[in-house]
């Protein structure tokens, strides 16, 4: 009689563990994933134009007669200037491989300042603008396919920094 009770209890434990454990395991193995759309870069970026920021005076001046030497460094980066109806975060993820290589840009300049003049160090950034073709993809149950939607976005990337010393 005791063996039968133990056997029934063991069967109940096995049945209960199968009911609670098996559904989650079968879902995990069935390939059920959320359904979503996302944007990816299609092809290479296309150069559009070059632009510059305004000259900005930096701290520190030198009164002549002397030689003024300056070095300035900054990180490069990029920004989306026209999203064409695509969320900016989706564009940033799609463009990571081609445009996010961050680097440090620097400029060094030296100039003799004549007696009675003041040297002022100024910098400006150079930007290159690119058009990037984005293609929409659809993912359902682990299968990915194109939706057929393609849009062009404009990306502006800081590519250089220029320095100069002006006399006042």
């Amino acid at each position: 009689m005791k063996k039968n009770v133990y056997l029934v209890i063991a069967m109940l434990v096995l049945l209960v563990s199968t009911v609670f454990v098996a559904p989650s395991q079968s879902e995990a193995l069935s390939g059920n994933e959320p359904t979503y759309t996302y944007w990816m870069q299609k092809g290479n970026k296309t150069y559009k134009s070059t632009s510059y920021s305004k000259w900005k005076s930096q701290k520190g001046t030198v009164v002549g007669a002397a030689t003024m030497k300056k070095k300035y460094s900054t990180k490069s980066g990029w920004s989306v200037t026209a999203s064409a109806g695509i969320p900016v975060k989706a564009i940033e993820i799609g463009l990571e491989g081609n445009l996010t290589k961050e680097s440090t840009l620097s400029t060094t300049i030296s100039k003799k300042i004549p007696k009675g003049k003041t040297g002022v160090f100024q910098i400006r950034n150079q930007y290159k603008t690119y058009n990037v073709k984005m293609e929409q993809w659809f993912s359902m149950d682990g299968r990915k396919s194109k939706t057929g939607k393609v849009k062009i976005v404009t990306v502006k990337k800081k590519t250089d920094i220029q320095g100069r010393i002006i006399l006042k």
Side-chain angles (χ1 to χ4, degrees):
M1 181 75 170
K2 271 187 169 178
K3 283 186 180 182
N4 287 341
V5 171
Y6 288 123
L7 184 61
V8 169
I9 291 173
M11 294 284 257
L12 284 173
V13 168
L14 183 60
L15 179 65
V16 169
S17 65
T18 303
V19 169
F20 288 113
V21 174
S24 64
Q25 288 177 345
S26 65
E27 286 176 11
L29 298 175
S30 71
N32 289 337
E33 291 183 0
T35 300
Y36 57 93
T37 59
Y38 57 97
W39 293 89
M40 291 298 294
Q41 181 176 345
K42 180 179 181 180
N44 292 326
K45 62 188 178 196
T46 306
Y47 172 76
K48 188 175 173 186
S49 64
T50 300
S51 61
Y52 298 89
S53 65
K54 292 183 178 183
W55 288 103
K56 296 178 190 171
S57 295
Q58 301 298 303
K59 291 182 180 179
T61 59
V62 171
V63 178
T67 299
M68 183 176 196
K69 289 183 180 182
K70 286 289 192 173
K71 181 175 181 172
Y72 183 85
S73 296
T74 186
K75 297 263 185 202
S76 71
W78 57 274
S79 64
V80 177
T81 57
S83 64
I86 307 171
V88 173
K89 287 289 180 195
I91 295 171
E92 288 173 352
I93 291 167
L95 297 178
E96 277 182 359
N98 199 350
L99 291 169
T100 58
K101 291 180 182 172
E102 199 171 273
S103 60
T104 301
L105 305 173
S106 64
T107 182
T108 304
I109 193 161
S110 176
K111 185 172 185 174
K112 291 187 183 215
I113 311 299
K115 186 176 181 179
K117 295 285 186 176
T118 302
V120 178
F121 178 62
Q122 295 182 329
I123 57 132
R124 73 174 179 176
N125 297 315
Q126 175 185 316
Y127 299 94
K128 289 193 178 179
T129 303
Y130 300 92
N131 283 338
V132 181
K133 190 180 284 189
M134 300 294 289
E135 181 175 44
Q136 189 179 45
W137 285 74
F138 179 77
S139 177
M140 183 170 76
D141 288 336
R143 289 177 291 229
K144 297 173 175 123
S145 60
K146 299 174 185 177
T147 65
K149 291 183 182 179
V150 176
K151 294 188 177 186
I152 304 292
V153 296
T154 304
V155 178
K156 190 174 186 178
K157 183 175 183 181
K158 187 190 305 183
T159 55
D160 196 12
I161 188 162
Q162 297 176 340
R164 72 179 182 183
I165 296 174
I166 61 168
L167 300 175
K168 288 190 173 187

